[in-house]
Amino acid sequence: MLDLLQVVSDGLLFGATYALIGIGFTLVFGVMHKLNLSYAAASLGGAYCGLLVLKVAAGAPAGLVFLGALVAGGVIGWLVYLTCFHFIPLSNPLATLMSTVGMLLLIDEIIVHVTAGMPQNYPAMFEDVMLHVGGFTLRGDLLLVFLLSVLCMAGLLALLYRTKLGLATRAVSQQAVAAQLCGIRVARVNALTFIVTGLLGGVAGAMIGAAVGALSPLLSAPLTVKGLIVTVIGGLGSIPGAIIAGLLVGGFENVFQLYRGVTERDFYVMLLLFAFLIFRPGGLFAPKTGRD
Amino acid sequence: MKRIAIALAVSLAVSGAALAQEKTIKIAGFGAKTGAVRSFGVNSEAALLAAADVINKQGGVRLADGSKAKIAVEFYDDRCTAEEGISIIRRIAGTEAIVAVGPTCSNVAEPLFGILQKKVDDKSDSGLQMPIFTDVAVKGGLAKISEWSFRNVPSEWTMYSSLFYWLKTRNPGAQTVYGGVEEDFAHSRASWYAVMKDRAEANGYKVLGNSKWLLNDSNFATQVREMKNANADIVAIAAHPFTTCGVLKEMQRQGVKPKVLIGLTSSSSMETLQGCAKQAEGIIIPTSFAPVTKEGKFAAETTAKFKGAADLHSMAAWENMFILKDVIESEKVSGNKDQLQADRRKIRDGLAKLKETKGLLGITKRTEDREADKPYLFVQATKGEWKVLHDPL
């Protein structure tokens, strides 16, 4: 029993990294009703850029690397918006889907070419901190990721519900044409949404690098898949949903692995996704639909 | 008039010589240059180019008619996927390349060797008749698939057998082994189940079990907990650098400190040290290359000029180029376009005849099933570098 609880708690904590990626997917979908499939790769791109801090100042603290990743994530987010959305007809849903797939592959290949595919050591905060509670152990660095996810959620909710930008964002997400008629610059709101999700992505990528201990191009495909699963299970467009779904997917993944082995683990995670698509297609926290 | 005639004769002789100099022997290289294993392809290409450059600077390779030809290398990216690898070898067969060196990945080599003619001169078999001389793909026993396939990769079976034997004499107190395996990667699986596990048991160790993970995994908490519960004296990790690093970092977090840590042959590269030098400290890996000889140092330095790193895989590509030079000369390859298929056959037959070849660590014995029995060393990660721990030969 203790094993099961430990496995669940490990999974829940690691699920915080999925939650961070899921939030980015869901935020873009919530505002633009589009999927940005390059999000996980862009987040990793931001994290890789954060490592440049160590090139400039060897031995710099992990916090500075994370800050570099945050800034780079924002810039990459804006570039993704420009290349994959701004000049592409939004009325065609497949166009942006394909442009973001292309961007995913492009970012992946850039990373591969710059690093020759070699794993890059990534700094972590509280890496050596292990909290022992009874027979349990909890990783300090994953607790930090978990706290950051919650903080990101709180920050994003505050941004959406307490600021003019949030009001504009919600207006665009509900009725873009009406928002435009009210004087809101839709393209600017969309660009800012990508910058905000990019900033978040930079943090997410850095946290994933810190949690894994290394970055590799191998991470982008599984993170993209996990991010999408989390977004669907949490409810497309729901930020709290993404966090809860991220933790759930992380927890279930570990339980499936414990009982069915690593080779069957992803099979059951996919079954979980199908179960949601069939029985609760709106996800755990389907947001109320806006007027059309 | 006489002067003009002499000048004409001289210029004709010079241009004739120049034409002879321009003759080239094409050797194709192929491997992964995209994706997470890009460094393997990059390093192999650099080693092939570097070796060809050395040969060309020494005058090139002697052909059947006594003339000298330069070696030209063209390298193709197979992306470490079987379908791309097969497509590329068909493309190479359509060029003037007389032999192909590659591939990087065992999951490419296995199906690719399958499309070659199984037995030479079997008229009922329409398989491709193209000699392939593998430098990297290391999964055991693949060359026997076709008589056109040859490999210059180390025998993991021999190396790990020797390693466990040596460990037994060095650490008589260590009795138990626990494995970690990248379950979805052909080479890693074969290395654990058919080599490490088997060789550990053959040397009197008790194998307590193994943990499994996938190539793309990033969370190893459960697997390392299983490892911790097993509390084995020796932990053997059959995985590539990225997940090896992930597991080593998780072992550090959970305080798993076996008496001896063993890694996969392919992880004795800079990738592991780049990803987790601190956590990899002390890991022991058998390898078929370390720059310990004069030739090895020269090969490493020359390859570095072509922006490649020297490791057991890229240095096999270097060795392949010199072996091929010898075969081209001994088999009297013509280098004529209209003799292309005959030249390919000569290369195949020449490689098949070899009983031993010169390697960077010493003499490599060739086996009946077209594999190599290469000299090897045990290296250990020490302060961010691979240091030679023991030379069993």
Side-chain angles (χ1 to χ4, degrees), chain A residues 4-14 136-138 142 251 254:
Chain A
L4 174 66
L5 290 175
Q6 178 68 63
V7 157
V8 170
S9 65
D10 283 344
L12 286 175
L13 282 183
F14 202 81
F136 278 116
T137 49
L138 296 174
L142 287 182
N254 267 18

Side-chain angles (χ1 to χ4, degrees), chain B residues 283-310:
Chain B
I283 194 169
I284 300 170
I285 301 183
T287 177
S288 56
F289 177 75
V292 290
T293 60
K294 197 175 123 198
E295 295 84 1
K297 282 177 191 156
F298 174 69
E301 283 161 13
T302 314
T303 301
K305 287 178 191 158
F306 285 78
K307 297 188 171 129

Side-chain angles (χ1 to χ4, degrees), chain B residues 6 15 29 31 43 48-49 75 79 111 130 140 146 217 219 226 233 245 256 295 298 301 338 342 356-357 364 390:
Chain B
I6 290 169
S15 63
N43 292 338
L48 286 174
L49 289 169
F75 200 90
R79 297 165 183 266
M130 177 83 203
S146 162
D217 274 359
N219 180 12
E226 290 166 355
D233 299 321
C245 282
V256 181
E295 295 84 1
F298 174 69
E301 283 161 13
D338 55 349
E356 58 181 37
T357 57
T364 293
H390 180 61

Side-chain angles (χ1 to χ4, degrees), chain A residues 78 146 270:
Chain A
W78 179 66
F146 178 75
M270 289 300 166

Side-chain angles (χ1 to χ4, degrees), chain A residues 5-185:
Chain A
L5 290 175
Q6 178 68 63
V7 157
V8 170
S9 65
D10 283 344
L12 286 175
L13 282 183
F14 202 81
T17 61
Y18 301 156
L20 277 172
I21 292 292
I23 292 172
F25 272 110
T26 215
L27 193 63
V28 169
F29 188 87
V31 174
M32 295 179 73
H33 304 286
K34 304 279 180 216
L35 275 175
N36 173 14
L37 291 178
S38 67
Y39 184 67
S43 302
L44 288 176
Y48 270 103
C49 291
L51 286 175
L52 291 175
V53 170
L54 292 177
K55 295 263 180 208
V56 178
L64 265 183
V65 175
F66 299 164
L67 190 67
L70 174 123
V71 174
V75 174
I76 295 173
W78 179 66
L79 288 173
V80 168
Y81 170 72
L82 276 186
T83 48
C84 300
F85 289 86
H86 187 71
F87 298 110
I88 287 177
L90 297 180
S91 55
N92 183 348
L94 272 182
T96 52
L97 199 67
M98 294 317 295
S99 65
T100 56
V101 169
M103 182 55 77
L104 187 162
L105 299 174
L106 179 68
I107 293 172
D108 246 8
E109 275 312 308
I110 290 172
I111 291 171
V112 163
H113 274 75
V114 172
T115 65
M118 287 197 187
Q120 305 292 312
N121 194 16
Y122 212 81
M125 285 169 111
F126 309 121
E127 186 183 20
D128 299 327
V129 177
M130 295 291 276
L131 300 179
H132 299 276
V133 187
F136 278 116
T137 49
L138 296 174
R139 274 174 61 180
D141 57 339
L142 287 182
L143 281 172
L144 174 73
V145 180
F146 178 75
L147 282 175
L148 260 175
S149 307
V150 176
L151 279 176
C152 285
M153 179 184 76
L156 283 172
L157 290 176
L159 182 82
L160 283 173
Y161 292 97
R162 295 278 184 271
T163 66
K164 278 188 179 176
L165 172 64
L167 187 66
T169 306
R170 282 183 290 132
V172 170
S173 77
Q174 286 170 12
Q175 239 306 348
V177 177
Q180 199 165 18
L181 288 172
C182 292
I184 294 170
R185 290 158 63 192

